[in-house]
Amino acid sequence: MGDPKHFTFITQLFSENGSKISISSATDIKETINKLHASHYDVVIGNFDLGKENALDFIAKIKKHVQYSPVTIFTGNQAPSVVKEAIKAGIDYFYLHNDETELEIIRLNTFIRQTIRQKQREEALNYADTNFRTIVETTDDSIYMVDRHYRYLFINSPHQKRLGVFGENYESKMYRDLHTEEETQRFIQSFNLVIAHNNYYSEEYEKEGRFYNRKFIPVRYHTSQQILAVTVVSIDITDRIRLEDEIARGASLVTATFESTSDGIFVVDRVGKIINYNQKFLDMWFVPESVIEERDEEVLLAFLEDQLEDRDSFIGKIDFLKKHPDREAFDVLEFRDGRVFERNTLPQRIGGTIIGRIWTFKDVTEQRRTLSTLQVTQANYRSVVESTGDSIYMVDREGCYLFMNSYHRNKLGDIADKYLENRMRVMLPPGEEQRFDQALSRVFTTKRKFQDEFQWLSKDYIRRFNPVKNDDSEEIRAVTVVLTDISDWKAAEREVKNNEERLKILFDYAPEAYLLTDIKGTFIESNRAATDLTGYSPEDLKSRNIFTMGLIGSMHITKTAVLFAKNALGKPTGPDEVHINRKDGRVLYAEVMTYPIKIRTHNLVMTIARDITDRKASEEALKQREEQYRLLANNAGEGVFVLRDIRIIFANPKSSEIFGYASDILLQSLITDIIHPEDQEQLSSLIQRATEGEEIHAGVSLRAFTNTGQLRWLEVGMAEVVWHNQPAILFLCLDITKQKIAQDALVQSNRKLNLLSSITRHDVLNQITILLAYLDLLKKKNKDPDLEPFIDKQVEATQSIRTQIVFTKEYQDVGVKEPLWQNLGTTIADAREYGRVEYVSWEDNLDTIEVYADPLLEKVFSNLISNSLMHGETVTSIRFFTEERPSALLLVYEDNGVGIPEKDKKKIFHHGFGKNTGFGLFLSREILSITGLSITETGMEGKGARFEISIPKNLSRLV
């Protein structure tokens, strides 16, 4: 959108510096916006006038429709005031077509490079900051930063939750404010270690039964090693500590089990190194220390094989397993001395990886002998036990199966034969093995029957242990176990018990008071809530009568008797309200419901009561407040509306008086029906702000119409309220029509006076210029030295008159235009541009604050900046910031110049005081005072000037 030769020259400059650029052109604003949507452009260059539209329209559409902000540069022959408005609107650069256009384009080239680099750095910084905050806020760890004074600088959300602080409530909080003295001292000691050693520090500590690991990480200034603060990362390690304890206990249990088992065990790794073994293994195989100390499987096996009858089979099985490390194996080993061992082996795995092999050996010599004896006896009772519906099996002293009937075999399924043939232990659910061994040992020891109950395969059983004795002695050689299924009986028993428990829990812990009485009102039972309600314990109430003990208020005795009479007829009642006389003498309101119930042959009454004393008090208070508010609204001197969305749901009499509508007509209307169409958008904005919780105070004006079409000016205020338990908007309006007419008349009068003053001032200044010219001519032609002092006095007096008349030009605009809401950040930026001072800065929050002041507010800030530049001598920094006060917002202006002497602090705002005109600060004070703002100087001589502008609370707002 510009002169092609300029683009060509800029392109040439970029190319000469090694830059790669891409240029795209557009014929109008619409096409430009579409291209900015489709692709990312760093710079937009165009003519100021774009047909029907101009650069101001273009900037407005970019802000509205384009998410990012390219550098915008415009050219043209525009008036300085128009250029200033364009720069305020957001144009980054403007240059004129003149004889120095080529030099201006070179400057433009430099500006584009610098601006693009700055914007890219800002975007990268914002991106990095967003990533950092996302990481810190999404972690489960507590992260916070503390400065060298132990003051919190930052706390992430998880740590805020731990401390019980929310939002920005931790700002300016010291560590001791949120922790005990003991915790604070421990923290300070750790903090000082980081400062002393200039390095991070880690520690573990316990708090309220939980364990934490806390790391202190120093935060250093980027140009030095000085520690400015410490970032603390606190990790909850409670689960890890508990897991470590569990692992230690588990390891101890494994070791104890390993040594207490009756089996011999040894473990080897994949390369044949013996990893572990128990003492039982060494005893069973008579292994000497010299052999086992070698920790070599080959050496050990060479010693073992010499004791066996069939050594070849023993070695063959071992060779097979070495070739197939994932296989399990079981076999029986017969020794030359007559002993018999069962050998079992399986691979040792971690995850899915085989890391070695476990070998177990069981001495079954006695079992084999017992088995041969029992085989004869089994045939005699097999027919009996096969016909029963119970599970019957026989086990030896070690709990290994010797026999099982068909019913039990069917329960075990396909694995039944494996359990019997391999002489394995009884198959039991987890945790039952020790209990079974204890029962078995008891039978072998006492030689008596034993009975218990247990669960197996989701069924309940009675288990009967019967000793099997030798025919020729009292020696117990085995135990027969009979399992009888009692699941149905146990289920019924548990159901009854569970129902009783549930009813008991519901009764005792119900939130309402439960009182069980007979039909005559004699108490039988009550719950905890009943004790809380009445003050009487269940023992206090039991056997006492509700009608004679004074629990019910005297005026409600008859009412309660009627309720019991209805219960006697089988009818429930309620809810009803009665007075309760507590044991401590207090009287409560209670809401009661009664139900007739029958337990066995007894007719009883269950009374459920709830304390509604607070509710009754709240209802009464609410009625009184509503009546007070209604009286206030009906007698208010301004119109009062209550709005739900934009519908009027309440209007006071003053509203009818202002707008001429009857109250019932207003209640059928929308607020938009009476507001001027041109003010509808402002009304919607005010309602939206009020809905979001903002209180709209006086100072906002809207136009409205009466029922006859007359225009009314209203000063309005709004606030969010609750009306009939639902959110609504309170809309207050004061009729200022007469005031507005008078104000408009005054403005017109001022404008006419200003016009007259301007004309008169122009004529007077012309005459003063002529007078000064004649005085200068007189001074040159004067030959009498005695007259020169008089001529100088005349020149000085005339110059003073000229200065005072020039000041009237500045002062005549004060108060002429209506005050308006002005953004502090934007206004300060405009004042800085006026003075061309690069080192003027202001806090970020000023861009979100608006102040209600005279339109000449920018003049106040530019006067302050000018004074610093002219009189501050050493000024290199000017700063604007705010401070909160109980009744006002303080806008502070500071510089680092020579400051103002104490004796001059009150004089600087007087008319005529100063080194130049003496009008700047006087005019600033006058501009501020129009809307109630005030200014004072509180700096220190030698350290810089400090001006404090006090802004009342109702004259500032956040945007």
Side-chain angles (χ1 to χ4, degrees):
M1 298 188 298
D3 192 340
K5 68 180 182 179
H6 297 148
F7 296 123
T8 303
F9 193 68
I10 292 171
T11 303
Q12 180 181 352
L13 287 173
F14 270 87
S15 300
E16 289 173 356
N17 288 277
S19 301
K20 295 182 180 181
I21 65 172
S22 176
I23 294 180
S24 179
S25 62
T27 57
D28 54 28
I29 289 179
K30 182 177 180 181
E31 184 180 355
T32 302
I33 296 298
N34 289 338
K35 289 196 172 188
L36 289 174
H37 275 303
S39 302
H40 181 90
Y41 292 89
D42 292 312
V43 185
V44 177
I45 306 176
N47 293 324
F48 187 92
D49 292 319
L50 304 168
K52 296 180 181 180
E53 298 176 295
N54 58 32
L56 295 177
D57 303 316
F58 177 73
I59 291 298
K61 290 186 177 180
I62 279 187
K63 291 180 177 180
K64 183 175 181 182
H65 299 292
V66 180
Q67 293 184 352
Y68 66 96
S69 299
V71 178
T72 51
I73 302 168
F74 285 87
T75 182
N77 296 312
Q78 304 296 326
S81 60
V82 176
V83 174
K84 182 177 180 182
E85 290 297 323
I87 292 175
K88 287 182 180 179
I91 290 176
D92 295 296
Y93 198 92
F94 188 92
Y95 68 94
L96 299 172
H97 293 302
N98 52 42
D99 295 338
E100 296 183 357
T101 299
E102 183 173 338
L103 176 59
E104 186 67 19
I105 292 177
I106 293 174
R107 293 174 182 164
L108 173 62
N109 173 268
T110 302
F111 171 79
I112 291 173
R113 294 176 183 277
Q114 294 175 347
T115 304
I116 290 175
R117 284 196 295 268
Q118 178 65 24
K119 288 199 173 187
Q120 290 173 345
R121 285 195 294 267
E122 291 175 354
E123 291 175 358
L125 183 59
N126 290 336
Y127 180 78
D129 182 67
T130 301
N131 286 346
F132 170 77
R133 285 192 171 273
T134 301
I135 293 170
V136 169
E137 291 298 334
T138 54
T139 182
D140 291 332
D141 300 336
S142 292
I143 301 176
Y144 53 96
M145 185 180 291
V146 181
D147 66 13
R148 295 175 72 102
H149 302 290
Y150 317 113
R151 181 185 296 107
Y152 280 111
L153 302 179
F154 168 77
I155 303 178
N156 73 342
S157 299
H159 197 58
Q160 289 183 38
K161 185 176 180 181
R162 269 177 57 183
L163 296 179
V165 298
F166 302 96
E168 302 299 325
N169 291 341
Y170 65 83
E171 289 186 353
S172 301
K173 292 282 188 183
M174 305 297 288
Y175 189 87
R176 67 172 58 89
D177 296 335
L178 302 177
H179 296 82
T180 64
E181 186 61 29
E182 180 182 352
E183 291 171 338
T184 301
Q185 291 303 317
R186 182 173 62 201
F187 178 85
I188 290 174
Q189 290 174 2
S190 302
F191 189 104
N192 291 338
L193 287 175
V194 178
I195 300 298
H197 296 91
N198 199 21
N199 201 350
Y200 83 95
Y201 174 72
S202 178
E203 65 179 7
E204 292 184 4
Y205 67 97
E206 183 268 339
K207 181 180 180 181
E208 297 177 356
R210 300 196 68 81
F211 297 88
Y212 300 91
N213 177 272
R214 182 164 60 184
K215 294 182 179 178
F216 294 77
I217 304 169
V219 179
R220 300 181 177 88
Y221 192 69
H222 67 280
T223 59
S224 72
Q225 289 299 310
Q226 181 183 3
I227 296 177
L228 303 178
V230 170
T231 297
V232 183
V233 180
S234 181
I235 304 172
D236 190 335
I237 60 172
T238 306
D239 293 338
R240 192 198 77 191
I241 295 295
R242 292 174 179 171
L243 180 59
E244 289 174 351
D245 291 341
E246 288 295 329
I247 291 173
R249 287 194 295 270
S252 176
L253 180 61
V254 168
T255 301
T257 303
F258 196 72
E259 290 297 335
S260 63
T261 181
S262 61
D263 296 340
I265 302 173
F266 81 94
V267 183
V268 296
D269 63 13
R270 290 291 301 274
V271 297
K273 181 179 180 180
I274 299 175
I275 303 301
N276 205 351
Y277 58 89
N278 66 352
Q279 186 62 39
K280 183 67 175 178
F281 169 74
L282 301 179
D283 296 340
M284 290 173 65
W285 288 88
F286 309 113
V287 180
E289 291 290 334
S290 59
V291 173
I292 199 65
E293 285 176 358
E294 294 289 333
R295 296 281 179 172
D296 190 328
E297 183 184 20
E298 294 294 337
V299 174
L300 177 63
L301 294 177
F303 176 81
L304 301 182
E305 65 184 26
D306 289 338
Q307 303 180 48
L308 302 174
E309 287 283 356
D310 189 358
R311 57 185 298 178
D312 294 335
S313 176
F314 176 79
I315 297 301
K317 179 61 68 71
I318 291 174
D319 292 340
F320 174 80
L321 292 173
K322 287 182 178 179
K323 295 177 182 178
H324 303 86
D326 59 330
R327 296 289 185 88
E328 298 181 12
F330 174 86
D331 58 1
V332 177
L333 305 178
E334 295 183 356
F335 286 70
R336 293 176 179 175
D337 60 8
R339 291 180 296 153
V340 180
F341 286 1
E342 289 180 348
R343 178 176 64 174
N344 191 26
T345 181
L346 69 160
Q348 182 185 12
R349 290 183 172 89
I350 294 182
T353 304
I354 297 175
I355 64 169
R357 178 166 293 278
I358 300 173
W359 295 85
T360 61
F361 300 90
K362 178 185 291 292
D363 188 343
V364 295
T365 307
E366 292 299 323
Q367 294 178 16
R368 285 299 185 94
R369 293 171 183 167
T370 303
L371 179 60
S372 61
T373 304
L374 292 177
Q375 285 175 344
V376 177
T377 308
Q378 285 182 356
N380 298 326
Y381 63 82
R382 183 179 297 275
S383 59
V384 176
V385 298
E386 291 294 340
S387 61
T388 183
D390 296 334
S391 288
I392 301 175
Y393 55 91
M394 183 182 295
V395 295
D396 61 14
R397 185 180 294 272
E398 300 299 326
C400 294
Y401 279 113
L402 301 176
F403 164 78
M404 65 179 72
N405 70 348
S406 299
Y407 189 84
H408 190 64
R409 186 186 295 272
N410 292 335
K411 282 188 174 293
L412 294 181
D414 295 337
I415 63 175
D417 291 335
K418 175 182 176 182
Y419 268 79
L420 185 60
E421 292 175 1
N422 294 330
R423 305 293 179 263
M424 297 182 70
R425 289 179 59 79
V426 176
M427 186 178 69
L428 295 167
E432 277 293 323
E433 184 172 337
Q434 183 178 3
R435 188 162 167 248
F436 181 87
D437 289 342
Q438 291 173 351
L440 195 62
S441 176
R442 178 173 179 173
V443 174
F444 273 98
T445 302
T446 64
K447 301 179 181 181
R448 295 180 181 178
K449 297 180 181 179
F450 176 73
Q451 177 177 306
D452 66 1
E453 294 181 9
F454 89 115
Q455 287 188 328
W456 181 42
L457 301 177
S458 302
K459 295 284 187 177
D460 291 290
Y461 294 89
I462 288 180
R463 184 167 53 184
R464 300 178 181 89
F465 295 82
N466 300 290
V468 178
K469 301 178 182 179
N470 288 325
D471 294 335
D472 54 351
S473 69
E474 292 296 316
E475 186 68 24
I476 306 299
R477 66 188 185 197
V479 172
T480 300
V481 182
V482 181
L483 298 181
T484 302
D485 189 344
I486 57 170
S487 300
D488 294 339
W489 174 76
K490 292 294 287 186
E493 183 183 62
R494 284 194 294 268
E495 184 65 24
V496 171
K497 186 175 180 180
N498 289 340
N499 287 338
E500 290 177 352
E501 288 295 326
R502 284 196 292 266
L503 291 174
K504 180 64 176 174
I505 291 171
L506 288 173
F507 184 83
D508 284 343
Y509 292 95
E512 287 87 10
Y514 281 29
L515 301 116
L516 184 64
T517 65
D518 63 16
I519 204 67
K520 296 180 180 180
T522 301
F523 286 106
I524 298 172
E525 195 170 353
S526 61
N527 66 350
R528 299 184 182 190
T531 301
D532 295 338
L533 177 69
T534 66
Y536 292 96
S537 67
E539 292 74 18
D540 293 335
L541 292 175
K542 198 165 186 178
S543 300
R544 300 180 70 178
N545 191 274
I546 193 172
F547 298 106
T548 60
M549 68 177 294
L551 180 63
I552 304 299
S554 58
M555 67 179 63
H556 289 152
I557 290 291
T558 303
K559 181 178 183 180
T560 306
V562 171
L563 300 180
F564 271 72
K566 291 182 178 179
N567 294 146
L569 298 175
K571 298 178 181 179
T573 67
D576 295 283
E577 294 180 6
V578 298
H579 282 167
I580 298 292
N581 297 321
R582 280 178 52 86
K583 185 178 181 179
D584 57 13
R586 288 192 296 131
V587 178
L588 305 178
Y589 274 98
E591 182 181 77
V592 301
M593 295 179 288
T594 64
Y595 299 90
I597 60 176
K598 190 169 186 177
I599 299 179
R600 297 185 180 91
T601 60
H602 301 287
N603 292 320
L604 306 176
V605 176
M606 176 66 76
T607 301
I608 302 175
R610 180 187 297 114
D611 186 357
I612 60 170
T613 306
D614 292 340
R615 190 187 79 187
K616 294 289 288 185
S618 299
E619 289 175 353
E620 186 62 30
L622 181 60
K623 289 180 181 178
Q624 292 179 3
R625 286 198 299 272
E626 287 181 349
E627 185 61 27
Q628 291 170 355
Y629 294 154
R630 192 173 298 278
L631 288 173
L632 286 172
N634 288 338
N635 294 281
E638 56 186 349
V640 179
F641 293 103
V642 177
L643 309 178
R644 183 155 290 129
D645 294 330
I646 58 172
R647 182 169 297 281
I648 300 171
I649 60 175
F650 172 81
N652 71 338
K654 187 65 177 180
S655 303
S656 298
E657 180 183 333
I658 293 174
F659 298 103
Y661 292 99
S663 295
D664 56 343
I665 298 299
L666 286 174
L667 295 178
Q668 299 174 8
S669 305
L670 306 177
I671 192 65
T672 52
D673 294 339
I674 60 178
I675 299 300
H676 195 289
E678 294 180 4
D679 292 346
Q680 299 280 354
E681 185 174 351
Q682 184 180 5
L683 173 67
S684 298
S685 176
L686 293 174
I687 292 176
Q688 178 64 31
R689 287 165 52 193
T691 303
E692 294 172 354
E694 181 180 349
E695 293 185 0
I696 312 298
H697 298 287
V700 180
S701 299
L702 295 175
R703 291 169 291 177
F705 293 107
T706 66
N707 62 333
T708 59
Q710 294 181 340
L711 182 67
R712 288 282 186 270
W713 280 91
L714 307 175
E715 187 177 79
V716 302
M718 292 187 196
E720 187 177 29
V721 296
V722 175
W723 188 266
H724 296 311
N725 298 321
Q726 292 185 359
I729 299 298
L730 180 66
F731 182 96
L732 306 176
C733 56
L734 180 65
D735 186 354
I736 59 170
T737 305
K738 293 180 180 180
Q739 176 185 341
K740 186 67 176 177
I741 293 172
Q743 183 179 352
D744 290 344
L746 179 61
V747 171
Q748 291 297 327
S749 176
N750 283 339
R751 287 176 179 169
K752 292 176 181 179
L753 288 173
N754 285 342
L755 179 60
L756 177 61
S757 174
S758 177
I759 295 171
T760 303
R761 181 173 58 254
H762 184 269
D763 293 341
V764 172
L765 287 174
N766 285 341
Q767 294 301 316
I768 288 175
T769 302
I770 295 171
L771 177 59
L772 288 172
Y774 277 111
L775 286 173
D776 185 59
L777 184 62
L778 176 63
K779 187 174 182 179
K780 291 178 180 178
K781 292 187 175 184
N782 175 47
K783 304 299 184 181
D784 187 354
D786 295 335
L787 293 178
E788 286 187 5
F790 297 101
I791 296 173
D792 290 339
K793 290 291 184 181
Q794 290 176 343
V795 172
E796 182 180 347
T798 305
Q799 290 285 10
S800 178
I801 294 171
R802 186 178 187 281
T803 299
Q804 292 175 3
I805 291 176
V806 168
F807 169 69
T808 62
K809 182 178 185 304
E810 298 284 344
Y811 197 72
Q812 75 175 10
D813 293 331
V814 177
V816 171
K817 296 181 180 179
E818 288 187 5
L820 46 84
W821 289 100
Q822 301 172 65
N823 185 281
L824 283 179
T826 303
T827 308
I828 293 171
D830 294 341
R832 183 184 73 171
E833 290 299 320
Y834 182 80
R836 299 292 181 184
V837 184
E838 297 299 327
Y839 48 76
V840 175
S841 63
W842 58 94
E843 289 186 345
D844 293 340
N845 69 313
L846 296 187
D847 293 325
T848 64
I849 300 175
E850 288 188 349
V851 175
Y852 190 68
D854 189 271
L856 293 177
L857 180 63
E858 179 185 338
K859 186 72 175 177
V860 174
F861 299 148
S862 62
N863 279 342
L864 293 175
I865 295 172
S866 298
N867 277 345
S868 292
L869 297 177
M870 287 189 293
H871 309 305
E873 298 181 11
T874 61
V875 174
T876 59
S877 174
I878 296 174
R879 187 166 69 103
F880 288 87
F881 59 93
T882 58
E883 293 180 357
E884 289 288 341
R885 292 291 187 269
S887 60
L889 176 70
L890 214 61
L891 176 61
V892 182
Y893 169 94
E894 285 185 350
D895 67 32
N896 62 346
V898 298
I900 299 172
E902 188 67 31
K903 60 185 179 64
D904 294 337
K905 288 183 182 294
K906 294 184 179 179
K907 299 178 183 178
I908 57 177
F909 298 105
H910 292 175
H911 176 222
F913 181 83
K915 298 177 183 178
N916 294 315
T917 64
F919 299 139
L921 292 177
F922 166 74
L923 182 62
S924 297
R925 186 183 66 180
E926 293 296 302
I927 292 171
L928 294 172
S929 65
I930 290 174
T931 55
L933 279 65
S934 62
I935 183 171
T936 56
E937 205 288 326
T938 60
M940 295 180 64
E941 184 178 2
K943 293 187 177 180
R946 175 185 168 100
F947 291 89
E948 296 180 353
I949 299 175
S950 179
I951 306 169
K953 286 290 188 182
N954 64 329
L955 298 180
S956 67
R957 68 185 184 189
L958 296 176
V959 294

